[in-house]
Amino acid sequence: MKKVIVSPSILSADFANLERDIELIQEGGADWVHVDVMDGHFVPNITIGVPVVKAIKPVSKIPLDVHLMIENPQNYIDDFVEAGADIITIHYEAAKDMTEDILTHIKSHGILAGLSIKPATPACEILKYLLTADMVLVMTVEPGFGGQAFMKDCSGKIPVIRQNAPENLIIQVDGGINKETGKICTELGANSLVAGSYIYKSDDIKAAIASLKE
Ligand code: DX5
Ligand code: ZN
């Protein structure tokens, strides 16, 4: 079985204790730290930006997986790279015709480039980018907030993408992921899981992370 990359979302962490909460997931076996950047335009919520990525970079021993839920992502790539992002994922709905160029630009910095789709966007719209993207992020909730229920219908996109992808494409799923919904996704061909509330609200973070790798 393929190894699952677990990327806990710090959206569900205690923002007054981010260093402690990043250490908790690192010690718990997390592979990446998922950073949800929201601008109040692309999604109806505002979260964190470049200064926070810069601040957590020195305290994180594992890669920073930066999920940009923002309009005009092309204007902010260099800032996030400089702040220390190791993976940058943009939204297809925000990038549109510029998708190929932005992915190529992210990769030119020597980091991984991800492409995400919202629940309403069919997988067929992004198949032409699978040779450029290092990762596709399938959203299984409407982006904007943690703690929402998993939309099972969206998981049907995973095998469509997997069947059309080069072997090394990472397929990540984000939204309402727990032990059960994570298993649905990995069985369909996903190999990276983002989870916020499931991990941070758990009494045993190590066990919660391990359960996503089973
Ligand atoms: C939602 C974010 C997610 C969110 C996941 O817009 O992209 O990363 O934090 O939270 P849970 O795991 O609680 O659904
Ligand atoms: Zn996310």
Side-chain angles (χ1 to χ4, degrees), residues 34 36 67 69 174:
H34 188 79
D36 284 307
H67 178 191
M69 286 160 278
D174 183 5

Side-chain angles (χ1 to χ4, degrees), residues 3-208:
K3 191 183 170 296
V4 178
I5 299 164
V6 175
S7 191
S9 168
I10 55 167
L11 190 57
S12 297
D14 176 357
F15 280 12
N17 288 289
L18 269 184
E19 181 170 6
R20 179 201 68 192
D21 278 7
I22 288 171
E23 276 166 10
L24 274 176
I25 56 166
Q26 266 171 199
E27 285 159 16
D31 300 287
W32 294 349
V33 180
H34 188 79
V35 183
D36 284 307
V37 176
M38 306 187 192
D39 67 353
H41 293 277
F42 183 73
V43 289
N45 192 13
I46 300 177
T47 54
I48 57 187
V50 172
V52 174
V53 172
K54 196 171 178 184
I56 63 175
K57 183 65 180 175
V59 303
S60 177
K61 298 189 193 88
I62 51 179
L64 298 182
D65 169 29
V66 177
H67 178 191
L68 297 184
M69 286 160 278
I70 62 173
E71 283 178 4
N72 299 312
Q74 68 279 4
N75 295 347
Y76 302 93
I77 303 303
D78 292 356
D79 290 346
F80 280 104
V81 170
E82 206 174 309
D86 297 282
I87 301 105
I88 295 181
T89 297
I90 56 163
H91 264 269
Y92 170 66
E93 302 84 1
K96 295 178 199 123
D97 292 351
M98 286 154 68
T99 300
E100 182 77 27
D101 287 348
I102 304 173
L103 292 174
T104 305
H105 181 65
I106 295 170
K107 285 166 58 129
S108 76
H109 286 289
I111 66 167
L112 298 184
L115 182 62
S116 184
I117 47 173
K118 298 209 282 186
T121 305
C124 60
E125 288 200 30
I126 57 146
L127 297 182
K128 58 177 174 288
Y129 303 111
L130 298 186
L131 290 175
T132 310
D134 298 296
M135 176 167 89
V136 168
L137 167 50
V138 175
M139 291 301 302
T140 43
V141 296
E142 208 53 65
F145 299 91
Q148 304 182 75
F150 178 73
M151 297 165 73
K152 191 161 184 257
D153 286 357
C154 298
S155 64
K157 297 176 196 177
I158 299 166
V160 178
I161 295 162
R162 184 55 79 203
Q163 280 154 21
N164 287 280
E167 207 187 335
N168 57 357
L169 183 85
I170 300 166
I171 301 182
Q172 185 176 65
V173 186
D174 183 5
I177 295 296
N178 56 36
K179 184 177 167 33
E180 288 76 33
T181 58
K183 184 117 191 126
I184 292 172
C185 297
T186 53
E187 282 178 351
L188 288 168
N191 61 334
S192 177
L193 298 173
V194 175
S197 42
Y198 175 63
I199 290 174
Y200 275 110
K201 290 198 185 348
S202 159
D203 293 334
D204 187 342
I205 284 186
K206 195 172 184 172

